[in-house]
Amino acid sequence: MFPKENSSNGYHSHRERARRGTRRSRASRDSISLRVYDQQQQQQQQRAPCTDFDMAYFHSYAHLGIHEEMIKDRVRTETYREAIMRHQSFIAGKVVVDVGCGTGILAIFCAQAGAKRVYAVDASDIALQANEVVKANNLSDVIVVLHGRVEDVEINEQVDVIISEWMGYMLLYESMLGSVITARDRWLKPGGLILPSNATLYMAPVTHCDRYSGSIDFWRNVYGIDMSAMLSLAKQCAFEEPSVETITGENILTWPHVVKYIDCYSVTIGELETVTTRFKFNSMMRAPLHGFAFWFDVEFNGPAMPQSNYPSSTSFTDNHLVNGSQRKKRINPNEALVLSTAPEDPPTHWQQTLIYFYDPIELEQDQVIEGLVTLTQSKENARFMNIHLEYTSGGRSHIKESVMR
């Protein structure tokens, strides 16, 4: 049910493989509840243009395999359903927007929770099938499927709730959070609900001898033949790009570091263009350091209120401050619902993202690993992510550049 660890350097799950697939045929457009928006004829004033890269991204999500993989991820899907039911008092009788609705499953969960109206928005052709799903479940009087970008479609009323499964690998890959921010700024009422409400990206140093041996040491002796001449190429092929795979807590060498905390009620699109953090780790064991792992979690909390006189002990660490801005405090901190992709938690289709070194570093217990990581939206394609990693340990400094594409 869950994706297994990749045996190569790529991160081509169904989400990625579908981008190489064929475009799905268009279904009938005669449904009243389906409003198809021709993106190239929309006025683009003060809105991000739809690029060829965006169109390719939207076309990839017309492939059913992507949605099948996500829906079969029970950790993901059941957590979202539980979040909707936990917040039923905010949803029943209210207006909801589902950003990137896909097959419409979250929109249907909201309708089942008593929403008065749900706008299910998706720029991919999967919206056509979502509309058929809505009709088959007799929900056309509640769910309105809008086929178009959030930046382009029109909703002629303010909404009470925004829900979206926007998280990509390493949290920010694919840059879909920008669409949630756009929906928030266009339609969300003051005091409205956003699910999930916040997200946190983590990193930690890892050791993974089996992975390194399987990809690199294999070439030292192939059926009795010395193929060590392949080692340099093998390292490049295996570790040049980020790798999405499943590791366990046993691979983690230290407590994690917070790379970025995101408050979905206040984050801006510009804030996501570049994320930089300095880190310092102390290895908890003697082991080879093979790279760094990244993972995230998201929380589903009620509408937030500004934090003012709360004790510091109830706050997140200073790493969570965003440009010095004031964070928001959840109403019921003891009832937070969390969707985690951490190595020690049940696996999800996001797995973990690993940045491997070409050569491991032998660590002693308590040895310091420090440095800097910068995540930047690619100028070529904002849905790609450039990763700049500087790290120092044992008196030696290194730089690793990679692109998640």
Side-chain angles (χ1 to χ4, degrees):
M1 181 171 294
F2 297 107
K4 295 182 179 178
E5 177 175 336
N6 293 346
S7 58
S8 67
N9 68 305
Y11 41 90
H12 306 307
S13 69
H14 290 298
R15 277 190 169 187
E16 180 66 17
R17 285 196 295 269
R19 293 176 190 140
R20 297 175 172 81
T22 58
R23 184 173 179 174
R24 308 297 260 189
S25 61
R26 290 185 177 271
S28 172
R29 301 188 180 188
D30 59 359
S31 171
I32 296 176
S33 66
L34 177 61
R35 303 176 186 177
V36 179
Y37 290 82
D38 185 347
Q39 296 171 350
Q40 296 183 353
Q41 295 179 359
Q42 294 291 323
Q43 294 182 353
Q44 297 296 325
Q45 296 179 356
Q46 297 180 338
R47 296 179 187 173
C50 186
T51 67
D52 290 342
F53 290 114
D54 289 328
M55 293 303 298
Y57 169 75
F58 297 140
H59 292 168
S60 75
Y61 274 84
H63 194 289
L64 190 60
I66 294 176
H67 302 280
E68 179 181 352
E69 180 183 42
M70 291 188 290
I71 291 172
K72 284 182 175 179
D73 181 344
R74 299 185 69 89
V75 174
R76 163 199 180 270
T77 305
E78 291 181 356
T79 301
Y80 266 87
R81 181 168 60 179
E82 182 178 352
I84 290 167
M85 298 314 297
R86 279 199 188 189
H87 295 88
Q88 188 170 9
S89 61
F90 295 98
I91 295 173
K94 302 297 179 63
V95 179
V96 179
V97 169
D98 178 3
V99 178
C101 69
T103 59
I105 188 169
L106 299 185
I108 291 173
F109 288 163
C110 288
Q112 292 173 342
K116 178 176 71 173
R117 185 160 40 259
V118 183
Y119 294 100
V121 185
D122 204 302
S124 165
D125 286 354
I126 198 66
L128 302 163
Q129 278 69 48
N131 189 66
E132 297 304 311
V133 172
V134 168
K135 290 194 297 182
N137 286 273
N138 300 314
L139 290 171
S140 296
D141 58 336
V142 176
I143 300 176
V144 179
V145 179
L146 303 178
H147 183 199
R149 297 194 309 159
V150 163
E151 293 80 0
D152 299 332
V153 301
E154 296 297 334
I155 296 176
N156 296 320
E157 60 180 326
Q158 287 191 303
V159 305
D160 304 281
V161 180
I162 293 175
I163 189 166
S164 178
E165 194 274 80
W166 54 265
M167 301 83 71
Y169 299 125
M170 209 168 166
L171 185 63
L172 298 176
Y173 174 64
E174 295 183 334
S175 300
M176 188 180 162
L177 179 55
S179 296
V180 177
I181 295 170
T182 298
R184 179 198 70 195
D185 294 345
R186 293 188 70 189
W187 301 310
L188 187 65
K189 292 179 181 178
L193 173 67
I194 302 177
L195 296 176
S197 54
N198 55 69
T200 307
L201 176 63
Y202 303 90
M203 69 177 293
V206 296
T207 185
H208 204 338
C209 295
D210 290 344
R211 174 74 159 85
Y212 193 86
S213 176
S215 299
I216 307 303
D217 292 338
F218 161 78
W219 294 101
R220 299 184 189 277
N221 186 333
V222 182
Y223 295 98
I225 301 170
D226 180 2
M227 289 196 177
S228 55
M230 297 288 188
L231 288 176
S232 179
L233 180 60
K235 291 175 183 179
Q236 181 179 356
C237 292
F239 303 140
E240 182 177 18
E241 295 184 347
S243 177
V244 173
E245 56 189 77
T246 297
I247 60 174
T248 70
E250 295 180 354
N251 297 113
I252 304 299
L253 291 171
T254 72
W255 294 105
H257 170 83
V258 173
V259 176
K260 179 68 174 176
Y261 173 79
I262 295 171
D263 180 347
C264 295
Y265 291 96
S266 61
V267 66
T268 64
I269 291 176
E271 185 181 318
L272 302 173
E273 292 177 355
T274 299
V275 172
T276 300
T277 184
R278 292 191 173 275
F279 56 82
K280 183 175 182 179
F281 299 104
N282 290 82
S283 179
M284 299 171 67
M285 65 186 77
R286 182 180 182 182
L289 171 63
H290 290 104
F292 291 96
F294 295 79
W295 66 89
F296 65 87
D297 61 38
V298 296
E299 289 191 11
F300 299 84
N301 299 317
M305 50 190 182
Q307 179 176 335
S308 54
N309 299 320
Y310 294 100
S312 59
S313 61
T314 63
S315 304
F316 290 97
T317 65
D318 289 342
N319 286 326
H320 290 95
L321 285 174
V322 178
N323 298 327
S325 64
Q326 199 174 43
R327 291 162 301 190
K328 296 195 176 182
K329 174 90 174 157
R330 56 177 177 257
I331 294 176
N332 297 308
N334 295 326
E335 299 179 5
L337 180 63
V338 178
L339 170 56
S340 173
T341 66
E344 67 270 18
D345 289 319
T348 71
H349 77 281
W350 287 285
Q351 303 176 276
Q352 291 83 40
T353 300
L354 278 85
I355 308 295
Y356 282 105
F357 307 154
Y358 292 121
D359 295 291
I361 299 172
E362 294 297 329
L363 293 180
E364 299 295 329
Q365 185 170 343
D366 298 323
Q367 185 169 329
V368 174
I369 312 110
E370 57 186 335
L372 170 79
V373 63
T374 300
L375 312 178
T376 309
Q377 289 181 3
S378 169
K379 290 189 179 354
E380 173 195 6
N381 179 356
R383 299 192 184 278
F384 293 169
M385 183 162 57
N386 297 325
I387 304 167
H388 175 83
L389 184 62
E390 301 176 16
Y391 55 100
T392 300
S393 190
R396 298 185 62 184
S397 297
H398 310 265
I399 295 177
K400 176 73 183 288
E401 303 266 7
S402 53
V403 181
M404 200 160 194
R405 66 179 89 237

